[in-house]
Amino acid sequence: LTYKKQRNDTFLRLTFVSTREDKDNHSCSEWYFEVDNRECTPNSINGFTYRRIDNPSPSKFEMSTSIVGVCKGTSDGELLSGKHEGSMHVRFCPWFIRDIWNPRTGSKTTTTMIVEEMCPPQDHT
């Protein structure tokens, strides 16, 4: 999703709304935002799905989800005014050792991604 940021002193509020789906009984997936092919700093904007069910046959798992966060910048620095690319990605959880995994998004639903420019919080002390 391409967004044209108007000012240098603002942040981007990123929102992702969809359905997450996995077909494994023992899985962990991380959905995360990138802006301009880099994760946001100082904190990643992400959501996790961890599932462990003691059942020999895999079962389908679907869950509505929304992931929301504020992006101040990336490892390349602050997000200055101009065009920026926002994207959602999925990967294995960093601490998870299994590699049987089949996550996807948007199953039977509309996937929505929203980018909003917002002013930084004000100090009212």
Side-chain angles (χ1 to χ4, degrees):
L1 178 66
T2 302
Y3 182 83
K4 186 174 181 186
K5 192 168 179 279
Q6 301 299 311
R7 296 175 34 186
N8 288 333
D9 63 342
T10 56
F11 302 153
L12 294 182
R13 182 176 189 258
L14 305 170
T15 303
F16 174 80
V17 180
S18 188
T19 300
R20 293 189 271 182
E21 178 183 329
D22 205 324
K23 292 184 180 178
D24 189 22
N25 288 340
H26 190 183
S27 61
C28 186
S29 306
E30 176 187 11
W31 276 259
Y32 63 98
F33 272 109
E34 285 187 353
V35 174
D36 300 332
N37 297 313
R38 301 269 189 271
E39 284 190 67
C40 292
T41 58
N43 300 309
S44 182
I45 302 171
N46 56 15
F48 294 90
T49 300
Y50 174 76
R51 192 171 109 108
R52 180 173 183 153
I53 298 173
D54 294 323
N55 183 342
S57 59
S59 62
K60 188 174 178 180
F61 173 73
E62 295 176 312
M63 179 177 73
S64 295
T65 188
S66 59
I67 299 170
V68 181
V70 175
C71 190
K72 293 174 71 173
T74 68
S75 57
D76 287 341
E78 290 185 14
L79 296 175
L80 301 177
S81 63
K83 288 185 180 179
H84 295 279
E85 279 293 320
S87 54
M88 177 58 69
H89 301 269
V90 64
R91 63 185 168 202
F92 290 110
C93 296
W95 62 86
F96 199 69
I97 58 173
R98 266 179 76 116
D99 61 0
I100 301 169
W101 166 95
N102 186 25
R104 48 184 221 177
T105 59
S107 176
K108 302 176 196 134
T109 64
T110 300
T111 296
T112 303
M113 192 166 146
I114 302 167
V115 180
E116 301 168 282
E117 192 166 352
M118 61 180 281
C119 294
Q122 305 237 346
D123 184 7
H124 295 289
T125 57

